[in-house]
PDB file of all heavy atoms in Angstrom:
ATOM      1  N   ASP A  42      -9.132  45.028  58.442  1.00 93.00           N
ATOM      2  CA  ASP A  42      -8.115  43.974  58.480  1.00 93.00           C
ATOM      3  C   ASP A  42      -6.957  44.500  59.317  1.00 93.00           C
ATOM      4  O   ASP A  42      -7.112  45.494  60.023  1.00 93.00           O
ATOM      5  CB  ASP A  42      -7.681  43.548  57.070  1.00 93.00           C
ATOM      6  CG  ASP A  42      -7.133  44.683  56.229  1.00 93.00           C
ATOM      7  OD1 ASP A  42      -6.839  45.766  56.783  1.00 93.00           O
ATOM      8  OD2 ASP A  42      -6.987  44.492  55.017  1.00 93.00           O
ATOM      9  N   ASP A  43      -5.814  43.870  59.246  1.00 92.00           N
ATOM     10  CA  ASP A  43      -4.680  44.307  60.062  1.00 92.00           C
ATOM     11  C   ASP A  43      -4.145  45.672  59.641  1.00 92.00           C
ATOM     12  O   ASP A  43      -3.485  46.351  60.415  1.00 92.00           O
ATOM     13  CB  ASP A  43      -3.541  43.281  59.980  1.00 92.00           C
ATOM     14  CG  ASP A  43      -3.908  41.978  60.678  1.00 92.00           C
ATOM     15  OD1 ASP A  43      -4.801  42.013  61.536  1.00 92.00           O
ATOM     16  OD2 ASP A  43      -3.285  40.949  60.360  1.00 92.00           O
ATOM     17  N   GLU A  44      -4.451  46.089  58.426  1.00 94.00           N
ATOM     18  CA  GLU A  44      -3.871  47.315  57.885  1.00 94.00           C
ATOM     19  C   GLU A  44      -4.831  48.499  57.870  1.00 94.00           C
ATOM     20  O   GLU A  44      -4.421  49.643  58.024  1.00 94.00           O
ATOM     21  CB  GLU A  44      -3.389  47.032  56.457  1.00 94.00           C
ATOM     22  CG  GLU A  44      -2.543  48.106  55.866  1.00 94.00           C
ATOM     23  CD  GLU A  44      -2.038  47.725  54.482  1.00 94.00           C
ATOM     24  OE1 GLU A  44      -2.241  46.577  54.050  1.00 94.00           O
ATOM     25  OE2 GLU A  44      -1.442  48.589  53.832  1.00 94.00           O
ATOM     26  N   PHE A  45      -6.127  48.268  57.689  1.00 96.00           N
ATOM     27  CA  PHE A  45      -7.078  49.357  57.469  1.00 96.00           C
ATOM     28  C   PHE A  45      -8.234  49.330  58.460  1.00 96.00           C
ATOM     29  O   PHE A  45      -8.703  48.270  58.871  1.00 96.00           O
ATOM     30  CB  PHE A  45      -7.664  49.284  56.055  1.00 96.00           C
ATOM     31  CG  PHE A  45      -6.658  49.591  54.986  1.00 96.00           C
ATOM     32  CD1 PHE A  45      -6.050  48.574  54.273  1.00 96.00           C
ATOM     33  CD2 PHE A  45      -6.318  50.899  54.706  1.00 96.00           C
ATOM     34  CE1 PHE A  45      -5.120  48.851  53.304  1.00 96.00           C
ATOM     35  CE2 PHE A  45      -5.383  51.184  53.722  1.00 96.00           C
ATOM     36  CZ  PHE A  45      -4.785  50.158  53.022  1.00 96.00           C
ATOM     37  N   SER A  46      -8.684  50.552  58.795  1.00 97.00           N
ATOM     38  CA  SER A  46      -9.900  50.763  59.571  1.00 97.00           C
ATOM     39  C   SER A  46     -10.727  51.792  58.812  1.00 97.00           C
ATOM     40  O   SER A  46     -10.218  52.516  57.958  1.00 97.00           O
ATOM     41  CB  SER A  46      -9.582  51.306  60.961  1.00 97.00           C
ATOM     42  OG  SER A  46      -8.849  50.377  61.702  1.00 97.00           O
ATOM     43  N   TYR A  47     -12.020  51.872  59.132  1.00 97.00           N
ATOM     44  CA  TYR A  47     -12.873  52.857  58.479  1.00 97.00           C
ATOM     45  C   TYR A  47     -13.960  53.305  59.434  1.00 97.00           C
ATOM     46  O   TYR A  47     -14.224  52.679  60.458  1.00 97.00           O
ATOM     47  CB  TYR A  47     -13.486  52.295  57.186  1.00 97.00           C
ATOM     48  CG  TYR A  47     -14.437  51.147  57.395  1.00 97.00           C
ATOM     49  CD1 TYR A  47     -15.810  51.373  57.474  1.00 97.00           C
ATOM     50  CD2 TYR A  47     -13.988  49.840  57.513  1.00 97.00           C
ATOM     51  CE1 TYR A  47     -16.695  50.325  57.659  1.00 97.00           C
ATOM     52  CE2 TYR A  47     -14.857  48.791  57.691  1.00 97.00           C
ATOM     53  CZ  TYR A  47     -16.213  49.032  57.771  1.00 97.00           C
ATOM     54  OH  TYR A  47     -17.078  48.003  57.966  1.00 97.00           O
ATOM     55  N   GLN A  48     -14.578  54.438  59.096  1.00 97.00           N
ATOM     56  CA  GLN A  48     -15.704  54.962  59.847  1.00 97.00           C
ATOM     57  C   GLN A  48     -16.916  55.015  58.935  1.00 97.00           C
ATOM     58  O   GLN A  48     -16.788  55.143  57.721  1.00 97.00           O
ATOM     59  CB  GLN A  48     -15.420  56.377  60.356  1.00 97.00           C
ATOM     60  CG  GLN A  48     -14.487  56.438  61.525  1.00 97.00           C
ATOM     61  CD  GLN A  48     -14.316  57.866  62.008  1.00 97.00           C
ATOM     62  OE1 GLN A  48     -13.950  58.732  61.220  1.00 97.00           O
ATOM     63  NE2 GLN A  48     -14.585  58.103  63.270  1.00 97.00           N
ATOM     64  N   VAL A  49     -18.105  54.962  59.534  1.00 97.00           N
ATOM     65  CA  VAL A  49     -19.353  55.008  58.786  1.00 97.00           C
ATOM     66  C   VAL A  49     -20.178  56.190  59.284  1.00 97.00           C
ATOM     67  O   VAL A  49     -20.312  56.396  60.491  1.00 97.00           O
ATOM     68  CB  VAL A  49     -20.163  53.701  58.970  1.00 97.00           C
ATOM     69  CG1 VAL A  49     -21.470  53.765  58.207  1.00 97.00           C
ATOM     70  CG2 VAL A  49     -19.355  52.505  58.553  1.00 97.00           C
ATOM     71  N   CYS A  50     -20.725  56.974  58.362  1.00 96.00           N
ATOM     72  CA  CYS A  50     -21.635  58.060  58.722  1.00 96.00           C
ATOM     73  C   CYS A  50     -22.939  57.435  59.204  1.00 96.00           C
ATOM     74  O   CYS A  50     -23.531  56.608  58.505  1.00 96.00           O
ATOM     75  CB  CYS A  50     -21.886  58.968  57.521  1.00 96.00           C
ATOM     76  SG  CYS A  50     -23.058  60.302  57.856  1.00 96.00           S
ATOM     77  N   THR A  51     -23.387  57.832  60.388  1.00 94.00           N
ATOM     78  CA  THR A  51     -24.605  57.233  60.944  1.00 94.00           C
ATOM     79  C   THR A  51     -25.864  57.777  60.279  1.00 94.00           C
ATOM     80  O   THR A  51     -26.935  57.206  60.456  1.00 94.00           O
ATOM     81  CB  THR A  51     -24.674  57.470  62.462  1.00 94.00           C
ATOM     82  OG1 THR A  51     -24.637  58.874  62.721  1.00 94.00           O
ATOM     83  CG2 THR A  51     -23.520  56.776  63.164  1.00 94.00           C
ATOM     84  N   ASP A  52     -25.750  58.865  59.509  1.00 91.00           N
ATOM     85  CA  ASP A  52     -26.918  59.412  58.824  1.00 91.00           C
ATOM     86  C   ASP A  52     -27.143  58.779  57.458  1.00 91.00           C
ATOM     87  O   ASP A  52     -28.255  58.388  57.119  1.00 91.00           O
ATOM     88  CB  ASP A  52     -26.779  60.927  58.660  1.00 91.00           C
ATOM     89  CG  ASP A  52     -26.888  61.663  59.978  1.00 91.00           C
ATOM     90  OD1 ASP A  52     -27.550  61.137  60.900  1.00 91.00           O
ATOM     91  OD2 ASP A  52     -26.305  62.751  60.099  1.00 91.00           O
ATOM     92  N   CYS A  53     -26.067  58.662  56.648  1.00 92.00           N
ATOM     93  CA  CYS A  53     -26.256  58.208  55.272  1.00 92.00           C
ATOM     94  C   CYS A  53     -25.552  56.889  54.953  1.00 92.00           C
ATOM     95  O   CYS A  53     -25.799  56.298  53.918  1.00 92.00           O
ATOM     96  CB  CYS A  53     -25.790  59.277  54.290  1.00 92.00           C
ATOM     97  SG  CYS A  53     -24.015  59.569  54.308  1.00 92.00           S
ATOM     98  N   GLY A  54     -24.654  56.431  55.813  1.00 94.00           N
ATOM     99  CA  GLY A  54     -23.999  55.150  55.600  1.00 94.00           C
ATOM    100  C   GLY A  54     -22.740  55.187  54.751  1.00 94.00           C
ATOM    101  O   GLY A  54     -22.175  54.143  54.445  1.00 94.00           O
ATOM    102  N   ILE A  55     -22.273  56.372  54.386  1.00 95.00           N
ATOM    103  CA  ILE A  55     -21.054  56.446  53.585  1.00 95.00           C
ATOM    104  C   ILE A  55     -19.852  56.147  54.478  1.00 95.00           C
ATOM    105  O   ILE A  55     -19.892  56.358  55.686  1.00 95.00           O
ATOM    106  CB  ILE A  55     -20.929  57.830  52.903  1.00 95.00           C
ATOM    107  CG1 ILE A  55     -20.037  57.740  51.689  1.00 95.00           C
ATOM    108  CG2 ILE A  55     -20.467  58.895  53.871  1.00 95.00           C
ATOM    109  CD1 ILE A  55     -20.195  58.892  50.729  1.00 95.00           C
ATOM    110  N   LYS A  56     -18.775  55.641  53.879  1.00 97.00           N
ATOM    111  CA  LYS A  56     -17.611  55.209  54.650  1.00 97.00           C
ATOM    112  C   LYS A  56     -16.390  56.038  54.277  1.00 97.00           C
ATOM    113  O   LYS A  56     -16.296  56.588  53.197  1.00 97.00           O
ATOM    114  CB  LYS A  56     -17.334  53.734  54.383  1.00 97.00           C
ATOM    115  CG  LYS A  56     -18.474  52.839  54.819  1.00 97.00           C
ATOM    116  CD  LYS A  56     -18.337  51.454  54.256  1.00 97.00           C
ATOM    117  CE  LYS A  56     -19.468  50.570  54.647  1.00 97.00           C
ATOM    118  NZ  LYS A  56     -20.729  50.906  54.040  1.00 97.00           N
ATOM    119  N   ARG A  57     -15.424  56.085  55.220  1.00 97.00           N
ATOM    120  CA  ARG A  57     -14.160  56.776  55.003  1.00 97.00           C
ATOM    121  C   ARG A  57     -13.084  56.047  55.788  1.00 97.00           C
ATOM    122  O   ARG A  57     -13.312  55.605  56.910  1.00 97.00           O
ATOM    123  CB  ARG A  57     -14.266  58.217  55.489  1.00 97.00           C
ATOM    124  CG  ARG A  57     -13.107  59.082  55.058  1.00 97.00           C
ATOM    125  CD  ARG A  57     -13.380  60.522  55.366  1.00 97.00           C
ATOM    126  NE  ARG A  57     -12.320  61.348  54.813  1.00 97.00           N
ATOM    127  CZ  ARG A  57     -12.069  62.568  55.205  1.00 97.00           C
ATOM    128  NH1 ARG A  57     -12.803  63.124  56.136  1.00 97.00           N
ATOM    129  NH2 ARG A  57     -11.090  63.250  54.666  1.00 97.00           N
TER     130      ARG A  57
END
Side-chain angles (χ1 to χ4, degrees):
D42 58 13
D43 291 338
E44 191 177 353
F45 291 100
S46 296
Y47 65 96
Q48 285 183 305
V49 179
C50 178
T51 58
D52 290 333
C53 67
I55 203 162
K56 298 166 181 69
R57 191 171 186 199

